[in-house]
Amino acid sequence: MLWAVRIPTRGSSPDMMPIQFLQPILLVSAIIALLAPIPRGAGLGLLVASYGVAFLTGQLGSPSLITVALLLLAAYAVSARHSNPARYLGHGLFLGLTIALSLHWMPGFNNWRLIGPERLTPDAVPFTMYLNLDKPLSGLWLLLVLPWLRPRYTLGQLPIGLAGAGVAVLLSLPVALDAGITAWSPKWPASSGLWLANNLLIVTAMEEVVFRGYIQCGLSHCLRGWRHGGWIALVLSSAVFGMAHFAGGWPWVLLAGLAGLAYGCAFRFGGLPAAIIAHFGLNAAHFFLFVYPMLQAGT
C-alpha cells in the first residue's frame, strides 16, 4: 500500500511516498482556508484530511490522539455554553498544550525533516527544517474555536506590515550583528522556495495567531480598564514571545522580544495580517541577507 512506510523519528528523513506529498499540500490549504474569509468548515475538512493522511503514513502515531482529545476537551470547555470557571480551565488547558506542543513534548508526532542539516553559508551553523505537525496545532485550534481571531483584510494592512518589518529589522538585527550572532551574507539557497512556504504559513502565521491574536488581544481585553492598557499588553506579549525563544539562550530571548515589539505595533494598528507581514519580513531578511540561522562559534 502507498502508506506502508516505516515510521520516522524527528531526526530521520526517509523517502517520501506519493501519498505523503498530499499531506503538506492539505495542511497548507487548511491554513490558507482558515485565514481566508470563508466558512470554517472548509478549513476544518482540509485539516482533518491532512492529519488523516499523516496518520496513515506514520507521521502521526497513536499517542498523538491524546493531544487531539485534550484539544477537543479544551474547545468544549471554552464554549459560551459553560460558566466562567469552565472557560478559564479550558483556556488554561489550551495554554499548557501550546507550551508542550511548541517544545515537542507531546508524544506521537514524527515530524519529517525537509531540509538539512546543511550549512547555508560556510560560516553558519547547520540548518535543519522540519514539517512540524505539533506546533501549528495551537494556531489552528484558535482559528477554529475562536472565530473572532480570524483576520479581516484591507489594503492599508500591507504598508503597516512592511513598516513593522522595517522596525523589526532596525530593532533586532543591529543587536544581533553587534553580538556576533549573525553577519551580512546575501544568498539564495536551493531550498528557498520550501523555506518560504513553511516559514510564512506554518511558522509565522501560526505564531502570530497565538502571540498577537490570542495573547496580546487577550491581555488588551483584560487590561481595557487600565490607562495605556493596550500598550502594556503589547509589551507583555512581546516579553512572552521573547521567552518562547529561551532554548536559544538569552541573546535570542532579547532579539525575539525586540522583534515582538514591532510585530505588536503592526498588530495594534493593522491587525493580524499586518503582524504576519512584519514577522515574515524580518525572517526573510535574516534568511536571505544574513548568516542563517546563526554564525558558527569561533568564526
Side-chain angles (χ1 to χ4, degrees), residues 60-111:
L60 295 179
S62 297
S64 65
L65 297 176
I66 297 171
T67 300
V68 174
L70 291 174
L71 286 171
L72 289 173
L73 178 61
Y76 178 74
V78 301
S79 67
R81 297 186 300 273
H82 294 88
S83 61
N84 282 336
R87 288 200 294 270
Y88 295 150
L89 288 173
H91 284 289
L93 175 58
F94 166 73
L95 287 171
L97 287 170
T98 295
I99 294 171
L101 288 167
S102 69
L103 296 173
H104 307 292
W105 286 350
M106 299 304 291
F109 293 88
N110 307 301
N111 299 316

mmCIF file of all heavy atoms in Angstrom, residues 60-111:
data_model
loop_
_atom_site.group_PDB
_atom_site.id
_atom_site.type_symbol
_atom_site.label_atom_id
_atom_site.label_comp_id
_atom_site.label_asym_id
_atom_site.label_seq_id
_atom_site.Cartn_x
_atom_site.Cartn_y
_atom_site.Cartn_z
ATOM 1 N N LEU A 60 2.033 10.627 12.161
ATOM 2 C CA LEU A 60 1.347 10.666 13.448
ATOM 3 C C LEU A 60 1.203 9.242 13.963
ATOM 4 O O LEU A 60 0.777 8.350 13.228
ATOM 5 C CB LEU A 60 -0.040 11.306 13.323
ATOM 6 C CG LEU A 60 -0.108 12.783 12.939
ATOM 7 C CD1 LEU A 60 -1.566 13.224 12.849
ATOM 8 C CD2 LEU A 60 0.650 13.644 13.934
ATOM 9 N N GLY A 61 1.562 9.054 15.232
ATOM 10 C CA GLY A 61 1.354 7.776 15.880
ATOM 11 C C GLY A 61 0.125 7.814 16.760
ATOM 12 O O GLY A 61 -0.451 8.885 17.016
ATOM 13 N N SER A 62 -0.284 6.665 17.249
ATOM 14 C CA SER A 62 -1.483 6.592 18.092
ATOM 15 C C SER A 62 -1.425 7.523 19.304
ATOM 16 O O SER A 62 -2.458 8.092 19.687
ATOM 17 C CB SER A 62 -1.703 5.144 18.545
ATOM 18 O OG SER A 62 -1.934 4.304 17.425
ATOM 19 N N PRO A 63 -0.246 7.721 19.955
ATOM 20 C CA PRO A 63 -0.215 8.647 21.108
ATOM 21 C C PRO A 63 -0.636 10.072 20.775
ATOM 22 O O PRO A 63 -1.007 10.831 21.678
ATOM 23 C CB PRO A 63 1.246 8.585 21.562
ATOM 24 C CG PRO A 63 1.734 7.248 21.107
ATOM 25 C CD PRO A 63 1.037 7.026 19.789
ATOM 26 N N SER A 64 -0.558 10.470 19.492
ATOM 27 C CA SER A 64 -0.976 11.830 19.134
ATOM 28 C C SER A 64 -2.462 12.047 19.372
ATOM 29 O O SER A 64 -2.918 13.195 19.491
ATOM 30 C CB SER A 64 -0.653 12.117 17.661
ATOM 31 O OG SER A 64 -1.418 11.281 16.799
ATOM 32 N N LEU A 65 -3.228 10.945 19.471
ATOM 33 C CA LEU A 65 -4.662 11.073 19.744
ATOM 34 C C LEU A 65 -4.915 11.652 21.132
ATOM 35 O O LEU A 65 -5.979 12.224 21.380
ATOM 36 C CB LEU A 65 -5.341 9.706 19.608
ATOM 37 C CG LEU A 65 -5.294 9.086 18.198
ATOM 38 C CD1 LEU A 65 -5.920 7.701 18.210
ATOM 39 C CD2 LEU A 65 -6.000 9.986 17.188
ATOM 40 N N ILE A 66 -3.935 11.521 22.028
ATOM 41 C CA ILE A 66 -4.052 12.143 23.353
ATOM 42 C C ILE A 66 -4.147 13.655 23.199
ATOM 43 O O ILE A 66 -4.994 14.314 23.823
ATOM 44 C CB ILE A 66 -2.845 11.761 24.235
ATOM 45 C CG1 ILE A 66 -2.797 10.250 24.477
ATOM 46 C CG2 ILE A 66 -2.893 12.529 25.564
ATOM 47 C CD1 ILE A 66 -1.528 9.788 25.158
ATOM 48 N N THR A 67 -3.269 14.223 22.369
ATOM 49 C CA THR A 67 -3.286 15.666 22.127
ATOM 50 C C THR A 67 -4.599 16.095 21.497
ATOM 51 O O THR A 67 -5.195 17.111 21.892
ATOM 52 C CB THR A 67 -2.115 16.057 21.216
ATOM 53 O OG1 THR A 67 -0.888 15.701 21.848
ATOM 54 C CG2 THR A 67 -2.131 17.553 20.932
ATOM 55 N N VAL A 68 -5.050 15.336 20.508
ATOM 56 C CA VAL A 68 -6.313 15.666 19.843
ATOM 57 C C VAL A 68 -7.459 15.668 20.847
ATOM 58 O O VAL A 68 -8.295 16.587 20.871
ATOM 59 C CB VAL A 68 -6.599 14.673 18.698
ATOM 60 C CG1 VAL A 68 -7.977 14.927 18.099
ATOM 61 C CG2 VAL A 68 -5.522 14.783 17.620
ATOM 62 N N ALA A 69 -7.490 14.661 21.720
ATOM 63 C CA ALA A 69 -8.562 14.572 22.717
ATOM 64 C C ALA A 69 -8.510 15.751 23.683
ATOM 65 O O ALA A 69 -9.556 16.327 24.034
ATOM 66 C CB ALA A 69 -8.461 13.250 23.471
ATOM 67 N N LEU A 70 -7.318 16.134 24.108
ATOM 68 C CA LEU A 70 -7.186 17.255 25.047
ATOM 69 C C LEU A 70 -7.563 18.580 24.387
ATOM 70 O O LEU A 70 -8.174 19.447 25.022
ATOM 71 C CB LEU A 70 -5.761 17.317 25.582
ATOM 72 C CG LEU A 70 -5.353 16.174 26.524
ATOM 73 C CD1 LEU A 70 -3.868 16.262 26.864
ATOM 74 C CD2 LEU A 70 -6.186 16.202 27.806
ATOM 75 N N LEU A 71 -7.229 18.746 23.115
ATOM 76 C CA LEU A 71 -7.627 19.964 22.407
ATOM 77 C C LEU A 71 -9.138 20.030 22.233
ATOM 78 O O LEU A 71 -9.746 21.107 22.356
ATOM 79 C CB LEU A 71 -6.932 20.025 21.043
ATOM 80 C CG LEU A 71 -5.446 20.362 21.060
ATOM 81 C CD1 LEU A 71 -4.835 20.179 19.682
ATOM 82 C CD2 LEU A 71 -5.200 21.784 21.568
ATOM 83 N N LEU A 72 -9.758 18.896 21.973
ATOM 84 C CA LEU A 72 -11.211 18.860 21.876
ATOM 85 C C LEU A 72 -11.852 19.180 23.220
ATOM 86 O O LEU A 72 -12.866 19.890 23.292
ATOM 87 C CB LEU A 72 -11.677 17.488 21.382
ATOM 88 C CG LEU A 72 -11.368 17.171 19.909
ATOM 89 C CD1 LEU A 72 -11.734 15.721 19.600
ATOM 90 C CD2 LEU A 72 -12.115 18.114 18.978
ATOM 91 N N LEU A 73 -11.265 18.665 24.293
ATOM 92 C CA LEU A 73 -11.774 18.964 25.639
ATOM 93 C C LEU A 73 -11.645 20.455 25.934
ATOM 94 O O LEU A 73 -12.574 21.073 26.491
ATOM 95 C CB LEU A 73 -11.005 18.146 26.669
ATOM 96 C CG LEU A 73 -11.376 18.379 28.137
ATOM 97 C CD1 LEU A 73 -12.840 18.018 28.398
ATOM 98 C CD2 LEU A 73 -10.460 17.568 29.058
ATOM 99 N N ALA A 74 -10.511 21.054 25.577
ATOM 100 C CA ALA A 74 -10.321 22.490 25.791
ATOM 101 C C ALA A 74 -11.337 23.293 24.986
ATOM 102 O O ALA A 74 -11.891 24.289 25.479
ATOM 103 C CB ALA A 74 -8.899 22.891 25.420
ATOM 104 N N ALA A 75 -11.588 22.871 23.749
ATOM 105 C CA ALA A 75 -12.572 23.565 22.919
ATOM 106 C C ALA A 75 -13.963 23.487 23.527
ATOM 107 O O ALA A 75 -14.723 24.468 23.520
ATOM 108 C CB ALA A 75 -12.573 22.963 21.511
ATOM 109 N N TYR A 76 -14.308 22.337 24.060
ATOM 110 C CA TYR A 76 -15.616 22.165 24.702
ATOM 111 C C TYR A 76 -15.736 23.064 25.938
ATOM 112 O O TYR A 76 -16.769 23.690 26.170
ATOM 113 C CB TYR A 76 -15.800 20.703 25.092
ATOM 114 C CG TYR A 76 -17.088 20.403 25.805
ATOM 115 C CD1 TYR A 76 -18.300 20.380 25.129
ATOM 116 C CD2 TYR A 76 -17.094 20.135 27.182
ATOM 117 C CE1 TYR A 76 -19.489 20.104 25.786
ATOM 118 C CE2 TYR A 76 -18.272 19.853 27.850
ATOM 119 C CZ TYR A 76 -19.464 19.841 27.144
ATOM 120 O OH TYR A 76 -20.633 19.563 27.806
ATOM 121 N N ALA A 77 -14.629 23.180 26.694
ATOM 122 C CA ALA A 77 -14.673 23.949 27.938
ATOM 123 C C ALA A 77 -14.804 25.444 27.682
ATOM 124 O O ALA A 77 -15.448 26.160 28.467
ATOM 125 C CB ALA A 77 -13.422 23.664 28.767
ATOM 126 N N VAL A 78 -14.193 25.950 26.604
ATOM 127 C CA VAL A 78 -14.222 27.398 26.381
ATOM 128 C C VAL A 78 -15.475 27.849 25.625
ATOM 129 O O VAL A 78 -15.641 29.044 25.385
ATOM 130 C CB VAL A 78 -12.977 27.877 25.592
ATOM 131 C CG1 VAL A 78 -11.707 27.525 26.319
ATOM 132 C CG2 VAL A 78 -12.969 27.311 24.178
ATOM 133 N N SER A 79 -16.335 26.920 25.288
ATOM 134 C CA SER A 79 -17.550 27.310 24.574
ATOM 135 C C SER A 79 -18.414 28.208 25.445
ATOM 136 O O SER A 79 -18.387 28.143 26.675
ATOM 137 C CB SER A 79 -18.338 26.072 24.154
ATOM 138 O OG SER A 79 -18.856 25.395 25.277
ATOM 139 N N ALA A 80 -19.206 29.054 24.813
ATOM 140 C CA ALA A 80 -20.012 30.052 25.533
ATOM 141 C C ALA A 80 -21.103 29.423 26.384
ATOM 142 O O ALA A 80 -21.708 30.102 27.207
ATOM 143 C CB ALA A 80 -20.635 31.017 24.524
ATOM 144 N N ARG A 81 -21.367 28.135 26.196
ATOM 145 C CA ARG A 81 -22.442 27.494 26.953
ATOM 146 C C ARG A 81 -22.048 27.198 28.394
ATOM 147 O O ARG A 81 -22.881 26.829 29.200
ATOM 148 C CB ARG A 81 -22.839 26.167 26.275
ATOM 149 C CG ARG A 81 -23.412 26.323 24.881
ATOM 150 C CD ARG A 81 -23.910 24.996 24.335
ATOM 151 N NE ARG A 81 -22.851 24.017 24.269
ATOM 152 C CZ ARG A 81 -22.024 23.874 23.220
ATOM 153 N NH1 ARG A 81 -22.145 24.695 22.183
ATOM 154 N NH2 ARG A 81 -21.098 22.949 23.207
ATOM 155 N N HIS A 82 -20.788 27.374 28.711
ATOM 156 C CA HIS A 82 -20.325 26.992 30.029
ATOM 157 C C HIS A 82 -20.037 28.219 30.889
ATOM 158 O O HIS A 82 -19.917 29.339 30.413
ATOM 159 C CB HIS A 82 -19.073 26.114 29.920
ATOM 160 C CG HIS A 82 -19.340 24.797 29.270
ATOM 161 N ND1 HIS A 82 -19.272 24.627 27.906
ATOM 162 C CD2 HIS A 82 -19.700 23.600 29.799
ATOM 163 C CE1 HIS A 82 -19.564 23.369 27.615
ATOM 164 N NE2 HIS A 82 -19.824 22.727 28.738
ATOM 165 N N SER A 83 -19.880 27.964 32.186
ATOM 166 C CA SER A 83 -19.627 29.034 33.150
ATOM 167 C C SER A 83 -18.200 29.530 33.021
ATOM 168 O O SER A 83 -17.344 28.903 32.400
ATOM 169 C CB SER A 83 -19.859 28.500 34.573
ATOM 170 O OG SER A 83 -18.961 27.430 34.846
ATOM 171 N N ASN A 84 -17.929 30.683 33.644
ATOM 172 C CA ASN A 84 -16.591 31.237 33.592
ATOM 173 C C ASN A 84 -15.516 30.287 34.100
ATOM 174 O O ASN A 84 -14.455 30.176 33.472
ATOM 175 C CB ASN A 84 -16.548 32.557 34.369
ATOM 176 C CG ASN A 84 -17.141 33.704 33.569
ATOM 177 O OD1 ASN A 84 -17.181 33.645 32.346
ATOM 178 N ND2 ASN A 84 -17.606 34.735 34.252
ATOM 179 N N PRO A 85 -15.701 29.597 35.253
ATOM 180 C CA PRO A 85 -14.650 28.665 35.701
ATOM 181 C C PRO A 85 -14.300 27.620 34.654
ATOM 182 O O PRO A 85 -13.125 27.301 34.455
ATOM 183 C CB PRO A 85 -15.256 28.032 36.959
ATOM 184 C CG PRO A 85 -16.206 29.055 37.476
ATOM 185 C CD PRO A 85 -16.793 29.696 36.249
ATOM 186 N N ALA A 86 -15.305 27.072 33.976
ATOM 187 C CA ALA A 86 -15.034 26.070 32.946
ATOM 188 C C ALA A 86 -14.255 26.682 31.790
ATOM 189 O O ALA A 86 -13.323 26.066 31.254
ATOM 190 C CB ALA A 86 -16.347 25.466 32.443
ATOM 191 N N ARG A 87 -14.609 27.897 31.400
ATOM 192 C CA ARG A 87 -13.880 28.549 30.305
ATOM 193 C C ARG A 87 -12.437 28.823 30.703
ATOM 194 O O ARG A 87 -11.517 28.647 29.905
ATOM 195 C CB ARG A 87 -14.583 29.841 29.896
ATOM 196 C CG ARG A 87 -15.884 29.613 29.138
ATOM 197 C CD ARG A 87 -16.276 30.846 28.348
ATOM 198 N NE ARG A 87 -16.610 31.952 29.221
ATOM 199 C CZ ARG A 87 -17.828 32.201 29.682
ATOM 200 N NH1 ARG A 87 -18.834 31.408 29.340
ATOM 201 N NH2 ARG A 87 -18.067 33.230 30.465
ATOM 202 N N TYR A 88 -12.226 29.270 31.939
ATOM 203 C CA TYR A 88 -10.864 29.523 32.402
ATOM 204 C C TYR A 88 -10.041 28.245 32.391
ATOM 205 O O TYR A 88 -8.864 28.247 31.997
ATOM 206 C CB TYR A 88 -10.881 30.119 33.802
ATOM 207 C CG TYR A 88 -11.516 31.495 33.897
ATOM 208 C CD1 TYR A 88 -12.160 31.914 35.054
ATOM 209 C CD2 TYR A 88 -11.476 32.377 32.812
ATOM 210 C CE1 TYR A 88 -12.756 33.160 35.138
ATOM 211 C CE2 TYR A 88 -12.060 33.634 32.890
ATOM 212 C CZ TYR A 88 -12.699 34.014 34.055
ATOM 213 O OH TYR A 88 -13.284 35.256 34.125
ATOM 214 N N LEU A 89 -10.638 27.141 32.831
ATOM 215 C CA LEU A 89 -9.934 25.860 32.816
ATOM 216 C C LEU A 89 -9.608 25.448 31.385
ATOM 217 O O LEU A 89 -8.528 24.908 31.109
ATOM 218 C CB LEU A 89 -10.778 24.787 33.504
ATOM 219 C CG LEU A 89 -10.896 24.902 35.025
ATOM 220 C CD1 LEU A 89 -11.894 23.875 35.558
ATOM 221 C CD2 LEU A 89 -9.530 24.695 35.688
ATOM 222 N N GLY A 90 -10.541 25.694 30.466
ATOM 223 C CA GLY A 90 -10.299 25.375 29.064
ATOM 224 C C GLY A 90 -9.146 26.165 28.486
ATOM 225 O O GLY A 90 -8.283 25.623 27.781
ATOM 226 N N HIS A 91 -9.113 27.470 28.785
ATOM 227 C CA HIS A 91 -8.001 28.292 28.298
ATOM 228 C C HIS A 91 -6.688 27.868 28.952
ATOM 229 O O HIS A 91 -5.637 27.862 28.296
ATOM 230 C CB HIS A 91 -8.284 29.767 28.575
ATOM 231 C CG HIS A 91 -9.281 30.385 27.643
ATOM 232 N ND1 HIS A 91 -9.001 30.652 26.322
ATOM 233 C CD2 HIS A 91 -10.573 30.776 27.844
ATOM 234 C CE1 HIS A 91 -10.059 31.194 25.741
ATOM 235 N NE2 HIS A 91 -11.031 31.273 26.644
ATOM 236 N N GLY A 92 -6.741 27.516 30.231
ATOM 237 C CA GLY A 92 -5.534 27.037 30.901
ATOM 238 C C GLY A 92 -5.014 25.752 30.278
ATOM 239 O O GLY A 92 -3.801 25.588 30.087
ATOM 240 N N LEU A 93 -5.930 24.835 29.977
ATOM 241 C CA LEU A 93 -5.531 23.594 29.319
ATOM 242 C C LEU A 93 -4.922 23.876 27.957
ATOM 243 O O LEU A 93 -3.895 23.293 27.583
ATOM 244 C CB LEU A 93 -6.740 22.668 29.186
ATOM 245 C CG LEU A 93 -6.526 21.359 28.409
ATOM 246 C CD1 LEU A 93 -5.420 20.520 29.046
ATOM 247 C CD2 LEU A 93 -7.836 20.575 28.328
ATOM 248 N N PHE A 94 -5.537 24.794 27.207
ATOM 249 C CA PHE A 94 -5.003 25.140 25.887
ATOM 250 C C PHE A 94 -3.599 25.731 26.006
ATOM 251 O O PHE A 94 -2.695 25.374 25.230
ATOM 252 C CB PHE A 94 -5.924 26.127 25.178
ATOM 253 C CG PHE A 94 -5.286 26.767 23.978
ATOM 254 C CD1 PHE A 94 -5.089 26.045 22.815
ATOM 255 C CD2 PHE A 94 -4.861 28.095 24.025
ATOM 256 C CE1 PHE A 94 -4.477 26.625 21.708
ATOM 257 C CE2 PHE A 94 -4.259 28.675 22.924
ATOM 258 C CZ PHE A 94 -4.058 27.942 21.764
ATOM 259 N N LEU A 95 -3.379 26.636 26.960
ATOM 260 C CA LEU A 95 -2.058 27.244 27.111
ATOM 261 C C LEU A 95 -1.012 26.199 27.490
ATOM 262 O O LEU A 95 0.121 26.231 26.991
ATOM 263 C CB LEU A 95 -2.112 28.352 28.164
ATOM 264 C CG LEU A 95 -2.837 29.633 27.735
ATOM 265 C CD1 LEU A 95 -3.029 30.564 28.925
ATOM 266 C CD2 LEU A 95 -2.060 30.342 26.627
ATOM 267 N N GLY A 96 -1.378 25.267 28.361
ATOM 268 C CA GLY A 96 -0.454 24.197 28.716
ATOM 269 C C GLY A 96 -0.096 23.338 27.509
ATOM 270 O O GLY A 96 1.072 22.974 27.298
ATOM 271 N N LEU A 97 -1.099 23.019 26.701
ATOM 272 C CA LEU A 97 -0.850 22.239 25.488
ATOM 273 C C LEU A 97 0.004 23.017 24.494
ATOM 274 O O LEU A 97 0.864 22.442 23.809
ATOM 275 C CB LEU A 97 -2.174 21.847 24.842
ATOM 276 C CG LEU A 97 -2.973 20.757 25.552
ATOM 277 C CD1 LEU A 97 -4.374 20.647 24.956
ATOM 278 C CD2 LEU A 97 -2.248 19.415 25.462
ATOM 279 N N THR A 98 -0.228 24.335 24.402
ATOM 280 C CA THR A 98 0.567 25.157 23.485
ATOM 281 C C THR A 98 2.044 25.106 23.853
ATOM 282 O O THR A 98 2.913 24.970 22.990
ATOM 283 C CB THR A 98 0.064 26.605 23.504
ATOM 284 O OG1 THR A 98 -1.267 26.643 22.989
ATOM 285 C CG2 THR A 98 0.948 27.512 22.678
ATOM 286 N N ILE A 99 2.339 25.208 25.143
ATOM 287 C CA ILE A 99 3.736 25.130 25.588
ATOM 288 C C ILE A 99 4.317 23.756 25.265
ATOM 289 O O ILE A 99 5.431 23.633 24.736
ATOM 290 C CB ILE A 99 3.829 25.421 27.093
ATOM 291 C CG1 ILE A 99 3.438 26.875 27.378
ATOM 292 C CG2 ILE A 99 5.236 25.130 27.619
ATOM 293 C CD1 ILE A 99 3.286 27.198 28.852
ATOM 294 N N ALA A 100 3.559 22.704 25.574
ATOM 295 C CA ALA A 100 4.045 21.346 25.329
ATOM 296 C C ALA A 100 4.253 21.077 23.836
ATOM 297 O O ALA A 100 5.248 20.466 23.434
ATOM 298 C CB ALA A 100 3.061 20.336 25.921
ATOM 299 N N LEU A 101 3.329 21.559 23.005
ATOM 300 C CA LEU A 101 3.462 21.343 21.565
ATOM 301 C C LEU A 101 4.645 22.129 20.991
ATOM 302 O O LEU A 101 5.356 21.637 20.114
ATOM 303 C CB LEU A 101 2.171 21.754 20.859
ATOM 304 C CG LEU A 101 0.966 20.830 21.071
ATOM 305 C CD1 LEU A 101 -0.312 21.504 20.600
ATOM 306 C CD2 LEU A 101 1.175 19.506 20.335
ATOM 307 N N SER A 102 4.850 23.338 21.481
ATOM 308 C CA SER A 102 5.952 24.155 20.965
ATOM 309 C C SER A 102 7.307 23.556 21.313
ATOM 310 O O SER A 102 8.288 23.757 20.594
ATOM 311 C CB SER A 102 5.853 25.585 21.511
ATOM 312 O OG SER A 102 6.129 25.615 22.900
ATOM 313 N N LEU A 103 7.376 22.814 22.423
ATOM 314 C CA LEU A 103 8.623 22.177 22.844
ATOM 315 C C LEU A 103 8.723 20.725 22.391
ATOM 316 O O LEU A 103 9.647 20.020 22.775
ATOM 317 C CB LEU A 103 8.738 22.255 24.371
ATOM 318 C CG LEU A 103 8.840 23.669 24.952
ATOM 319 C CD1 LEU A 103 8.775 23.630 26.474
ATOM 320 C CD2 LEU A 103 10.136 24.339 24.499
ATOM 321 N N HIS A 104 7.736 20.277 21.596
ATOM 322 C CA HIS A 104 7.706 18.905 21.067
ATOM 323 C C HIS A 104 7.653 17.872 22.195
ATOM 324 O O HIS A 104 8.258 16.805 22.098
ATOM 325 C CB HIS A 104 8.922 18.638 20.165
ATOM 326 C CG HIS A 104 9.108 19.642 19.078
ATOM 327 N ND1 HIS A 104 8.222 19.764 18.018
ATOM 328 C CD2 HIS A 104 10.063 20.592 18.887
ATOM 329 C CE1 HIS A 104 8.645 20.734 17.219
ATOM 330 N NE2 HIS A 104 9.749 21.252 17.722
ATOM 331 N N TRP A 105 6.912 18.199 23.250
ATOM 332 C CA TRP A 105 6.795 17.277 24.376
ATOM 333 C C TRP A 105 5.670 16.265 24.203
ATOM 334 O O TRP A 105 5.679 15.225 24.852
ATOM 335 C CB TRP A 105 6.546 18.061 25.667
ATOM 336 C CG TRP A 105 7.758 18.776 26.193
ATOM 337 C CD1 TRP A 105 9.053 18.644 25.769
ATOM 338 C CD2 TRP A 105 7.783 19.739 27.255
ATOM 339 N NE1 TRP A 105 9.882 19.465 26.489
ATOM 340 C CE2 TRP A 105 9.128 20.144 27.410
ATOM 341 C CE3 TRP A 105 6.804 20.289 28.073
ATOM 342 C CZ2 TRP A 105 9.514 21.072 28.364
ATOM 343 C CZ3 TRP A 105 7.192 21.231 29.027
ATOM 344 C CH2 TRP A 105 8.535 21.614 29.168
ATOM 345 N N MET A 106 4.695 16.576 23.368
ATOM 346 C CA MET A 106 3.558 15.679 23.220
ATOM 347 C C MET A 106 3.946 14.489 22.340
ATOM 348 O O MET A 106 4.570 14.663 21.288
ATOM 349 C CB MET A 106 2.360 16.415 22.630
ATOM 350 C CG MET A 106 1.866 17.568 23.480
ATOM 351 S SD MET A 106 1.431 17.100 25.185
ATOM 352 C CE MET A 106 -0.048 16.108 24.908
ATOM 353 N N PRO A 107 3.575 13.281 22.746
ATOM 354 C CA PRO A 107 4.020 12.085 22.013
ATOM 355 C C PRO A 107 3.225 11.863 20.730
ATOM 356 O O PRO A 107 2.113 12.359 20.567
ATOM 357 C CB PRO A 107 3.749 10.958 23.023
ATOM 358 C CG PRO A 107 2.573 11.454 23.824
ATOM 359 C CD PRO A 107 2.774 12.951 23.954
ATOM 360 N N GLY A 108 3.821 11.090 19.824
ATOM 361 C CA GLY A 108 3.118 10.641 18.636
ATOM 362 C C GLY A 108 3.305 11.497 17.403
ATOM 363 O O GLY A 108 2.727 11.197 16.361
ATOM 364 N N PHE A 109 4.118 12.563 17.491
ATOM 365 C CA PHE A 109 4.353 13.428 16.339
ATOM 366 C C PHE A 109 5.745 13.131 15.767
ATOM 367 O O PHE A 109 6.760 13.424 16.399
ATOM 368 C CB PHE A 109 4.252 14.904 16.733
ATOM 369 C CG PHE A 109 2.864 15.317 17.124
ATOM 370 C CD1 PHE A 109 2.436 15.192 18.440
ATOM 371 C CD2 PHE A 109 1.977 15.816 16.191
ATOM 372 C CE1 PHE A 109 1.143 15.561 18.814
ATOM 373 C CE2 PHE A 109 0.691 16.195 16.541
ATOM 374 C CZ PHE A 109 0.272 16.057 17.866
ATOM 375 N N ASN A 110 5.773 12.535 14.586
ATOM 376 C CA ASN A 110 7.023 12.154 13.929
ATOM 377 C C ASN A 110 7.245 13.090 12.742
ATOM 378 O O ASN A 110 6.932 12.755 11.606
ATOM 379 C CB ASN A 110 6.950 10.703 13.473
ATOM 380 C CG ASN A 110 6.564 9.765 14.603
ATOM 381 O OD1 ASN A 110 7.245 9.695 15.617
ATOM 382 N ND2 ASN A 110 5.452 9.072 14.453
ATOM 383 N N ASN A 111 7.751 14.280 13.039
ATOM 384 C CA ASN A 111 7.848 15.329 12.032
ATOM 385 C C ASN A 111 8.925 15.011 11.000
ATOM 386 O O ASN A 111 10.055 14.662 11.353
ATOM 387 C CB ASN A 111 8.152 16.675 12.706
ATOM 388 C CG ASN A 111 7.055 17.089 13.670
ATOM 389 O OD1 ASN A 111 5.879 16.974 13.368
ATOM 390 N ND2 ASN A 111 7.453 17.569 14.841
#
